[in-house]
Amino acid sequence: MFVDVILPLPLDGLFTYSVPQPWGEQVKIGIRVLVPFGRSRTHVGIVVKTHKGPLPSDFQIKDILQVLDAEPILLDTQLCLWQWIADYYMSPIGEVYKAALPSGLKAEDGYRPRTETYIRLTSSFHNEQTLHVALDMLQRAPKQQKVLIDFLALCDDFSDTRRLVSRDELLNQGHTLQTVNALQKRGILETYEKEVGRLNHGGEPHLEKIKPLSKSQQDAYNQIQFSFLKKNVTLLHGVTSSGKTEIYIHLIRQTLEQKQQVLYLLPEIALTVQIMERLQHVFGNRLGIYHSKYSDAERVEIWQKQLSQNPYDVILGARSAVFLPFQRLGLVIVDEEHETSYKQQDPMPRYHARSAAIVLAQIFKAKTLLGTATPSLESYHNAKTGKYALVELFQRYKGIELPEIQIVDIKDLQHRKMMNGPFSPLLLNKVREALGRGEQAILFQNRRGYAPMIECKQCGWVPHCRHCDVSLTLHRNLNQLTCHYCGAVYQVPTECPACGCKELQTRGYGTEKVETDIRDIFPEARIARMDLDTTRTRQAYERIISDFSAGRTNLLIGTQMISKGLDFDKVSVVGILNADTMLNYPDFRAYEHAFMMMAQVSGRAGRKGRRGLVILQTKSPDLPLIQQVVRNDYAAFYRSVIAERQQFRYPPYYRLVYVYLKHRQDGLVEAAGIEMGRLLCQWFPGRVLGPDKPGISKVKSLSIRKIILKFELSLNMAEVRKYLALARQQMLLDKRYTSLQIYYDVDPL
């Protein structure tokens, strides 16, 4: 008997091993096996096929070393998704395996279950008569006698179904470990280890009734239900604060009534904190949470629970939740579907969770709902052309108006020297008024750190990363310069190494500097900052959001994290400090991302009770995009951008594949790029741009070249992928390029 297994390696294809006789009955598709690889290494592989010989005579085959599971940990449906991701995104399936499984399921020593020490009576004292003897024995040891009495009280009764008692529980009655150990030495009590989960097994929380929908929400809900009769994917385009989450909750309830499961995807871990509370109040312990800020052990336990007879009915999670085992999936919700966070960038596989979720739903014949206030151009185009159904909800919950957006021309104010750092007088006045009324404000600056760069005042020298082609960001709280690409850290220089000048000045503003300056202006404000530096742990996310929700902080400064669907009742003012940093970016999606971010951030204002105010600071107030944001006119924005996309052959009219080549030697990668470009031009004439240096042409000491491929939608992408794989093979056959990295980014963002 032979098995084909997936190994967690960046290599194409499957690996065949033979199965020794004792394990023939135990081997099934989807279980893990320990296998040898190379001369001395071992890996945990997953069996995806079993077969009998004969194999080619020149085939060197090794035995599996161990069977690690009694039952499969990978279902057929998951394997289908893995294969699709590997094929579509041109990634070895071993890379999909590495991304999909928690680390505890990939290591041979594996996941160690959490255990707790429990206490029980020894076999000699299992009935009432012998227990009376034990109590009499302890007449002269009153502390030990009290331990035994308390233990029996905690057990509830003497039957075989008596309650289990942990050692910690017994010690919490006021006893010492020494006294408990003394009873063990007497042979009355004994300890044993019991596996306990890390998941919350507390009592069922107090459940609330599902809120009734408003008329506009009910209309949208009915339209979604009707659309699912005709289409498998529906786009819900609902303005900010229109109550999309309540519609989701009603759809989830209906799906659960049909005995099916729901996957609810969110783009940002921060969002799960708020949505989790809302869903737990309705669905209680039927809800499971899954994302990368959970410990590996917790993720393993959720994975195993989803394989059990009693899985979670609703999974709420970030993009990695698409990989969980589902048994009866009926509905997939992709909230904030426009978000770029759904796209995995590095490492492989560079998949888009929205696309993977749609494919996962298709595998189960389930329905997919994409929800957003600012649809991605691809999704909106699919809806407009009939590939998806479209449901629109343009009325905010309880009829609250969309926020008023006032534009501030900071170029003019800077010329007249009226700016206070990055703050206009109007913004400061409106924030001051809001705080004075007991309300809250949000300031949005899409750049973390203290300053994007420091510069010599005399000669203009700027410190750069030794490993990357980027300037270093100053983090003043840590007193260090950091590269945001490779993570390298440098000391802050005291003088310019080029000219010796001791005057080094900061350029630009990051969230850290905004926080410092705003504390000086509003010393009485209770300020919090939310960016990558302040949210390294799950607890940090939860603390920042809960403090702001409860009013313990009243001024929140943040990067794009704060734009992603967070719901705060008392925010009346939102300040966008510099819209131009989003607009002036060398990418064909720059205006799309800018519109979405500004519209989403604006939507945080005035969500309950009264109309909010947004102060949008920009040097380009007359730009059509700015006016579209002010009017919240997505349709006009779509019309203006979609025409350009068609004219210049970009998505959604064409498919993009980026080819990246990386090597330590710049000259070698330059030559390889030219050769690769020439090869691709032969196979795809008129569809190749480059090679060219990307905006950042060196990262982690590797020089980079980029080739852009544009393919008509009518082309057979399976054939395209075959030729691209062949191109990569041909390049790597050349001995000069053996250490050259070549990879593809399909549908890049």
Side-chain angles (χ1 to χ4, degrees):
M1 183 180 180
F2 301 98
V3 289
D4 293 345
V5 303
I6 303 171
L7 295 182
L9 300 169
L11 301 171
D12 290 312
L14 304 174
F15 297 84
T16 303
Y17 291 87
S18 56
V19 181
Q21 191 60 41
W23 287 323
E25 294 295 316
Q26 298 175 41
V27 170
K28 305 172 190 171
I29 290 173
I31 66 159
R32 296 172 305 147
V33 288
L34 185 64
V35 296
F37 189 84
R39 291 186 178 177
S40 57
R41 285 190 295 168
T42 59
H43 287 291
V44 174
I46 297 181
V47 175
V48 294
K49 186 180 178 184
T50 62
H51 54 97
K52 303 252 170 131
L55 294 176
S57 57
D58 60 344
F59 213 73
Q60 291 287 318
I61 196 131
K62 296 178 180 178
D63 288 347
I64 64 170
L65 302 175
Q66 193 178 344
V67 176
L68 299 177
D69 301 305
E71 295 297 328
I73 60 115
L74 186 72
L75 305 178
D76 290 345
T77 47
Q78 290 172 283
L79 188 56
C80 286
L81 181 67
W82 284 23
Q83 195 60 61
W84 178 83
I85 289 173
D87 291 344
Y88 187 85
Y89 293 103
M90 303 189 66
S91 171
I93 197 164
E95 293 282 10
V96 183
Y97 167 13
K98 283 167 69 176
L101 255 65
S103 298
L105 294 177
K106 290 181 285 197
E108 56 191 89
D109 53 349
Y111 153 78
R112 290 201 175 108
R114 180 178 165 196
T115 61
E116 200 170 327
T117 303
Y118 276 72
I119 289 192
R120 64 189 171 202
L121 293 164
T122 60
S123 56
S124 305
F125 295 93
H126 261 199
N127 58 56
E128 260 184 271
Q129 189 175 352
T130 53
L131 275 172
H132 282 300
V133 172
L135 289 167
D136 290 341
M137 281 169 52
L138 299 173
Q139 289 286 357
R140 294 186 179 180
K143 287 183 180 178
Q144 294 177 32
Q145 189 183 55
K146 182 71 167 66
V147 168
L148 183 57
I149 291 169
D150 285 349
F151 169 77
L152 295 172
L154 288 169
C155 286
D156 288 342
D157 60 32
F158 298 110
S159 69
D160 290 337
T161 58
R162 65 164 67 98
R163 186 173 165 275
L164 301 180
V165 178
S166 72
R167 186 171 64 188
D168 285 347
E169 196 176 3
L170 187 57
L171 294 175
N172 285 341
Q173 301 291 311
H175 305 298
T176 65
L177 185 59
Q178 186 179 4
T179 313
V180 174
N181 288 343
L183 282 173
Q184 286 181 250
K185 287 176 183 174
R186 284 180 180 265
I188 298 172
L189 295 179
E190 64 183 4
T191 60
Y192 64 101
E193 296 297 310
K194 183 176 182 300
E195 184 179 328
V196 292
R198 292 167 178 84
L199 308 182
N200 178 20
H201 293 297
E204 181 77 21
H206 175 68
L207 298 185
E208 299 174 358
K209 287 185 178 179
I210 294 180
K211 295 175 186 173
L213 298 175
S214 67
K215 184 182 182 306
S216 57
Q217 287 174 321
Q218 188 66 50
D219 289 345
Y221 176 82
N222 294 341
Q223 288 177 52
I224 292 166
Q225 295 280 49
F226 184 71
S227 73
F228 281 159
L229 298 175
K230 299 179 179 180
K231 305 280 185 186
N232 290 326
V233 182
T234 296
L235 174 64
L236 173 59
H237 180 197
V239 296
T240 54
S241 199
S242 56
K244 294 187 288 295
T245 306
E246 286 304 323
I247 295 174
Y248 301 156
I249 288 171
H250 280 254
L251 288 167
I252 292 169
R253 178 181 64 177
Q254 186 207 29
T255 307
L256 299 191
E257 285 170 355
Q258 296 168 350
K259 309 296 184 191
Q260 293 177 312
Q261 291 173 299
V262 177
L263 170 60
Y264 187 145
L265 287 181
L266 292 163
E268 193 72 62
I269 295 164
L271 264 177
T272 62
V273 178
Q274 282 198 328
I275 302 292
M276 176 185 70
E277 291 177 358
R278 293 179 71 175
L279 295 184
Q280 275 181 337
H281 288 153
V282 177
F283 302 111
N285 291 338
R286 301 175 79 177
L287 173 73
I289 317 294
Y290 191 83
H291 56 64
S292 60
K293 284 289 191 288
Y294 271 52
S295 71
D296 187 69
E298 285 173 306
R299 281 182 282 156
V300 171
E301 290 193 1
I302 292 171
W303 189 285
Q304 291 176 332
K305 182 171 174 63
Q306 291 312 94
L307 289 167
S308 72
Q309 296 296 312
N310 183 34
Y312 288 118
D313 292 322
V314 184
I315 288 289
L316 175 70
R319 65 175 178 243
S320 59
V322 296
F323 292 118
L324 278 172
F326 291 93
Q327 301 180 45
R328 40 189 171 79
L329 189 64
L331 175 66
V332 175
I333 296 168
V334 184
D335 199 11
E336 310 293 346
E337 67 84 28
H338 64 279
E339 274 291 344
T340 56
S341 311
Y342 281 124
K343 179 81 158 81
Q344 164 81 7
Q345 300 297 345
D346 279 309
M348 286 195 286
R350 294 173 179 83
Y351 71 99
H352 198 301
R354 180 186 62 211
S355 302
I358 291 170
V359 171
L360 178 67
Q362 287 171 350
I363 292 168
F364 279 93
K365 295 182 170 55
K367 302 298 181 183
T368 304
L369 181 65
L370 310 177
T372 177
T374 53
S376 64
L377 256 74
E378 285 86 343
S379 294
Y380 196 70
H381 181 74
N382 283 338
K384 282 294 190 182
T385 54
K387 185 177 179 181
Y388 301 164
L390 177 63
V391 175
E392 295 178 314
L393 179 60
F394 291 149
Q395 187 176 337
R396 274 187 149 192
Y397 188 62
K398 293 188 176 176
I400 295 169
E401 286 183 272
L402 284 163
E404 176 192 358
I405 301 179
Q406 293 186 18
I407 300 174
V408 174
D409 184 351
I410 55 176
K411 186 178 180 182
D412 176 58
L413 290 174
Q414 284 171 347
H415 181 68
R416 292 193 280 155
K417 294 185 169 46
M418 293 178 66
M419 293 288 288
N420 186 342
F423 314 113
S424 64
L426 177 65
L427 175 60
L428 293 178
N429 285 339
K430 295 300 180 183
V431 170
R432 186 175 289 109
E433 289 172 9
L435 299 182
R437 292 192 300 266
E439 296 166 349
Q440 293 173 309
I442 289 176
L443 299 179
F444 171 71
Q445 174 71 358
N446 201 27
R447 188 166 275 175
R448 65 187 174 101
Y450 187 80
M453 66 174 71
I454 61 173
E455 180 183 69
C456 173
K457 199 169 184 179
Q458 189 164 301
C459 73
W461 170 83
V462 173
H464 280 70
C465 179
R466 296 189 199 104
H467 315 290
C468 309
D469 185 23
V470 291
S471 59
L472 297 170
T473 300
L474 174 64
H475 289 253
R476 203 172 77 169
N477 284 356
L478 300 171
N479 193 31
Q480 65 188 27
L481 295 169
T482 304
C483 174
H484 285 175
Y485 282 81
C486 71
V489 173
Y490 302 83
Q491 283 189 325
V492 180
T494 54
E495 62 178 42
C496 172
C499 71
C501 175
K502 293 189 182 297
E503 289 190 74
L504 300 176
Q505 58 192 6
T506 59
R507 286 286 189 198
Y509 282 81
T511 47
E512 192 184 315
K513 190 174 184 184
V514 170
E515 180 188 14
T516 302
D517 288 4
I518 210 74
R519 284 188 188 280
D520 292 338
I521 297 168
F522 300 118
E524 74 287 353
R526 303 181 302 278
I527 298 167
R529 172 162 57 92
M530 189 170 172
D531 56 29
L532 194 62
D533 298 318
T534 61
T535 55
R536 299 285 180 187
T537 65
R538 186 171 98 220
Q539 291 75 20
Y541 274 104
E542 293 169 359
R543 189 189 70 251
I544 293 167
I545 290 169
S546 65
D547 284 354
F548 197 65
S549 295
R552 289 186 287 272
T553 52
N554 58 4
L555 184 53
L556 181 63
I557 298 156
T559 56
Q560 59 180 348
M561 285 181 182
I562 62 172
S563 72
K564 300 180 182 183
L566 292 169
D567 189 359
F568 301 116
D569 292 355
K570 293 183 179 178
V571 174
S572 61
V573 175
V574 167
I576 299 173
L577 298 188
N578 192 345
D580 305 278
T581 56
M582 294 176 274
L583 298 169
N584 303 328
Y585 197 76
D587 185 87
F588 76 95
R589 294 188 197 271
Y591 274 24
E592 179 184 2
H593 292 161
F595 178 89
M596 290 171 176
M597 212 171 292
M598 285 188 274
Q600 291 286 344
V601 171
S602 300
R604 303 313 109 211
R607 297 175 70 85
K608 298 276 170 72
R610 57 181 289 175
R611 189 182 189 194
L613 174 67
V614 178
I615 307 298
L616 196 164
Q617 299 186 165
T618 176
K619 294 176 183 175
S620 314
D622 299 324
L623 201 67
L625 180 80
I626 298 293
Q627 300 303 321
Q628 290 157 4
V629 171
V630 169
R631 298 193 306 271
N632 194 46
D633 193 347
Y634 179 86
F637 158 74
Y638 174 78
R639 287 193 301 271
S640 64
V641 176
I642 203 74
E644 288 181 4
R645 295 283 182 90
Q646 188 168 22
Q647 181 182 355
F648 295 106
R649 301 198 300 169
Y650 279 107
Y653 295 101
Y654 281 73
R655 227 178 232 122
L656 292 186
V657 177
Y658 288 172
V659 185
Y660 287 98
L661 300 95
K662 294 183 177 180
H663 198 274
R664 288 188 176 273
Q665 296 178 31
D666 190 70
L668 189 141
V669 81
E670 174 72 17
I674 292 168
E675 201 166 320
M676 183 77 162
R678 192 182 301 124
L679 187 61
L680 293 172
C681 281
Q682 292 173 11
W683 291 337
F684 309 119
R687 300 179 180 91
V688 182
L689 292 175
D692 200 358
K693 281 188 176 184
I696 295 163
S697 60
K698 184 182 173 188
V699 174
K700 296 181 181 177
S701 300
L702 294 173
S703 292
I704 307 168
R705 294 297 181 274
K706 174 180 168 184
I707 299 171
I708 297 176
L709 302 175
K710 295 182 178 181
F711 297 114
E712 300 91 330
L713 299 181
S714 57
L715 277 186
N716 183 337
M717 286 305 289
E719 284 291 305
V720 167
R721 287 192 286 272
K722 187 173 79 176
Y723 277 111
L724 289 175
L726 186 60
R728 185 174 177 276
Q729 272 178 354
Q730 279 191 223
M731 288 293 295
L732 297 179
L733 284 174
D734 189 324
K735 289 182 180 177
R736 291 176 299 162
Y737 304 138
T738 49
S739 57
L740 179 72
Q741 293 181 27
I742 302 174
Y743 64 85
Y744 301 110
D745 189 359
V746 180
D747 299 341
L749 288 182

